[in-house]
Amino acid sequence: MDLFDIFQQYRLEQTKTEAAKRTRQVDRKATDNQYDIVELQSKVDHLSLVCMAMSELLEEVGFNRELLLSKMKEIDLRDGTLDGKFAPANVCGSCARVVSARHYTCLYCGTKIDKTSAF
């Protein structure tokens, strides 16, 4: 073997080691994602149960489905878009600017935003 072959062999081993390392990282991330999906599905199932119970309780006390759907539409429009979702905006306590609910600090002044509860 000449010097070039030794160098090539060294580079191949280095590449194999790096590939194995990246494979382990990807596998670990995939496992983490699977756990996240299971957790999210559990939360969705629980919220579906809560919504069904609330809907049936409302019907029992005299509210009907049409009233519920009307209120859902009203709430859905509060964020300006009829899209089946509600993304409330927060107002910064320091500079009084509207900040998206997904941000934890004000984009304008850097103040921490207090998250508002859905209830």
Side-chain angles (χ1 to χ4, degrees), residues 31-99:
T31 300
D32 291 347
N33 288 341
Q34 287 173 343
Y35 287 128
D36 289 345
I37 289 170
V38 169
E39 182 181 345
L40 287 171
Q41 185 61 51
S42 175
K43 288 179 180 181
V44 167
D45 292 342
H46 177 74
L47 288 172
S48 295
L49 176 64
V50 169
C51 287
M52 186 178 291
M54 288 178 63
S55 176
E56 289 182 14
L57 282 171
L58 286 171
E59 284 184 23
E60 288 174 11
V61 297
F63 290 94
N64 60 26
R65 185 175 182 83
E66 289 75 30
L67 284 171
L68 179 62
L69 292 173
S70 173
K71 182 52 92 171
M72 287 173 58
K73 183 177 179 180
E74 175 190 325
I75 292 170
D76 185 14
L77 285 170
R78 286 182 190 169
D79 63 0
T81 308
L82 184 63
D83 58 2
K85 300 183 275 185
F86 178 67
N90 294 314
V91 177
C92 176
S94 181
C95 69
R97 289 191 168 169
V98 176
V99 180

Side-chain angles (χ1 to χ4, degrees), residues 15-29:
T15 303
K16 286 180 188 177
T17 303
E18 184 64 30
K21 179 181 171 186
R22 288 185 191 266
T23 300
R24 286 191 302 276
Q25 289 172 341
V26 167
D27 289 344
R28 193 169 32 251
K29 185 68 176 170

Side-chain angles (χ1 to χ4, degrees), residues 88-113:
N90 294 314
V91 177
C92 176
S94 181
C95 69
R97 289 191 168 169
V98 176
V99 180
S100 172
R102 64 180 174 211
H103 295 283
Y104 294 99
T105 58
C106 179
L107 298 173
Y108 304 99
C109 69
T111 302
K112 185 176 189 279
I113 301 295

